[in-house]
């Protein structure tokens, strides 16, 4: 990797922060779609981060990594880059009621989507569809009951994604399997990796 490439990537990430700062606190579907389209347009520009750059080596290459972008605006959006090892899949999870945009920068991502019905132990997940995202594709979601599960479709190549949420996503709920073919809900606080642009 040349220094020029690092500079271009830093500029690109800075431009993402500019876009998010200008977006402020989008709430309508229309405003969120506009923001999604702005970010999507950036994927093909010089400096867009690639998965190879985020290879960490050793065991770190085998786990999902979350790199926050330096805080965007007080009370506004948050953003992070995620590195997905080949074949990595998450558990079904919510986003603590926040809206979100998940954009593929490199590689592929399959998203199984669900609607949460019921409350507490009687909660079930009703499948609503599957999206297969390639480079430049984005999923946009909104709503308290939205849940999804994401998977890197490639067993050979890592994926890199940009995630933007309508606030800071510190903790959220995952649906894990229990011993009786059912599920158990857990709150988790994911580990964060190196902050970018700090
Ligand atoms: Fe997610």
């Amino acid at each position: 990797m040349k220094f020029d490439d690092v500079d271009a990537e830093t500029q690109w990430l800075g431009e993402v922060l500019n876009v998010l700062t200008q977006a402020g606190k989008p709430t309508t579907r229309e405003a969120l779609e506009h923001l999604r389209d702005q970010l999507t347009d950036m994927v093909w520009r010089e400096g867009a981060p690639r998965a190879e750059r985020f290879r960490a080596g050793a065991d770190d290459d085998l786990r999902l990594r979350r790199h926050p972008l330096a805080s965007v605006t007080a009370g506004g959006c948050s953003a992070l880059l995620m590195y997905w090892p080949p074949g990595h899949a998450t558990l079904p999870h919510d986003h603590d009621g926040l809206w979100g945009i998940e954009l593929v920068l490199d590689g592929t991502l399959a998203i199984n989507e669900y609607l949460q019905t019921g409350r507490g132990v009687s909660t079930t997940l009703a499948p609503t569809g599957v999206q297969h995202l390639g480079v430049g594709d984005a999923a946009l979601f909104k709503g308290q009951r939205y849940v999804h599960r994401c998977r890197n479709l490639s067993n050979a190549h890592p994926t890199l994604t940009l995630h933007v949420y309508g606030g800071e996503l510190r903790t959220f709920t995952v649906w894990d399997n229990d011993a009786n073919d059912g599920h158990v809900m857990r709150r988790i606080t994911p580990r964060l990796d190196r902050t970018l642009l700090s």
Side-chain angles (χ1 to χ4, degrees):
M1 186 109 185
K2 295 175 295 189
F3 284 117
D4 286 356
D5 295 338
V6 176
D7 288 348
E9 184 185 278
T10 302
Q11 275 186 14
W12 190 92
L13 291 170
E15 185 56 31
V16 167
L17 292 188
N18 286 340
V19 166
L20 297 180
T21 302
Q22 282 165 19
K25 295 181 182 180
T27 51
T28 64
R29 188 92 199 171
E30 195 179 26
L32 291 173
E33 286 176 354
H34 178 63
L35 176 57
R36 176 199 60 195
D37 293 345
Q38 282 182 296
L39 295 170
T40 298
D41 282 349
M42 293 181 62
V43 173
W44 303 104
R45 289 198 204 146
E46 188 190 354
R50 298 291 174 231
E52 203 55 38
R53 255 273 294 147
F54 283 78
R55 278 193 180 281
D59 290 347
D60 265 0
D61 253 6
L62 302 175
R63 66 179 180 87
L64 180 70
R65 297 204 312 275
R66 297 173 167 83
H67 293 281
L69 265 68
S71 181
V72 181
T73 54
C77 319
S78 68
L80 61 165
L81 288 195
M82 284 197 199
Y83 173 90
W84 303 72
H88 184 90
T90 68
L91 291 167
H93 58 273
D94 71 2
H95 303 80
D96 211 24
L98 301 174
W99 60 259
I101 296 169
E102 301 189 353
L103 167 64
V104 176
L105 300 176
D106 198 1
T108 59
L109 198 71
I111 303 184
N112 291 71
E113 300 183 298
Y114 308 88
L115 264 191
Q116 182 184 348
T117 59
R119 294 206 170 274
V121 289
S122 61
T123 295
T124 56
L125 296 180
T128 57
V130 186
Q131 297 197 59
H132 295 102
L133 308 184
V135 178
D137 293 330
L140 166 61
F141 54 83
K142 194 172 189 290
Q144 290 283 343
R145 296 188 300 132
Y146 178 87
V147 171
H148 70 197
R149 172 179 183 270
C150 302
R151 179 166 58 99
N152 178 357
L153 280 172
S154 173
N155 286 320
H157 299 288
T159 286
L160 192 71
T161 49
L162 171 68
H163 298 237
V164 176
Y165 302 114
E168 274 210 84
L169 183 58
R170 288 204 181 91
T171 62
F172 52 87
T173 301
V174 299
W175 278 258
D176 207 348
N177 296 319
D178 68 14
N180 306 311
D181 283 341
H183 65 255
V184 55
M185 293 163 68
R186 286 191 286 119
R187 288 292 283 179
I188 66 163
T189 303
R191 166 180 174 179
L192 293 177
D193 296 281
R194 175 175 56 90
T195 300
L196 307 172
L197 293 184
S198 58

